Amino acid sequence: MDNMGEIMLLVFVFVISGFLGVELISKVPSQLHTPLMSGTNAISGITIVGAMSATAIAVTASGTLGMIFGIVAIVLATINVVGGYMVTDRMLGMFKKKGDKKK
């Protein structure tokens, strides 16, 4: 029964952090989204390193299930970083003058 209490606490923290994230992002003015995205990409890069280290520990300790979850975490974190940089590049491209665009 103690394990169920821990799971419920983790679900509670996840739900509250989701609501908090939506509330915080909705209050950011549109002019600050590009700098905010750049900072978020740097943090997401750190999550890739964390996912790789957690995967390495899981492979040595628990085996297949930990390795699968670790690889999924690495893939999702990488998609997040690459997508974030693509969105940032596109947003910065919107601020360029017509004559400055790449051909």
Side-chain angles (χ1 to χ4, degrees), residues 44-99:
S44 294
I46 295 170
T47 60
I48 293 174
V49 173
M52 288 190 303
S53 62
T55 303
I57 293 170
V59 166
T60 59
S62 63
T64 307
L65 186 62
M67 183 178 67
I68 291 170
F69 282 134
I71 290 172
V72 168
I74 292 169
V75 168
L76 291 176
T78 303
I79 289 170
N80 189 24
V81 170
V82 171
Y85 279 115
M86 290 173 64
V87 168
T88 301
D89 185 51
R90 185 171 179 190
M91 288 177 69
L92 289 174
M94 292 170 48
F95 292 106
K96 292 183 180 177
K97 294 180 182 176
K98 297 235 185 228

Side-chain angles (χ1 to χ4, degrees), residues 5-84:
E6 290 177 13
I7 292 173
M8 290 303 292
L9 179 64
L10 291 173
V11 169
F12 175 74
V13 170
F14 179 74
V15 170
I16 293 297
S17 63
F19 284 127
L20 181 64
V22 168
E23 189 65 27
L24 287 174
I25 294 299
S26 67
K27 303 289 186 219
V28 174
S30 60
Q31 295 88 354
L32 295 178
H33 274 246
T34 300
L36 181 66
M37 183 66 74
S38 297
T40 306
N41 287 336
I43 294 170
S44 294
I46 295 170
T47 60
I48 293 174
V49 173
M52 288 190 303
S53 62
T55 303
I57 293 170
V59 166
T60 59
S62 63
T64 307
L65 186 62
M67 183 178 67
I68 291 170
F69 282 134
I71 290 172
V72 168
I74 292 169
V75 168
L76 291 176
T78 303
I79 289 170
N80 189 24
V81 170
V82 171

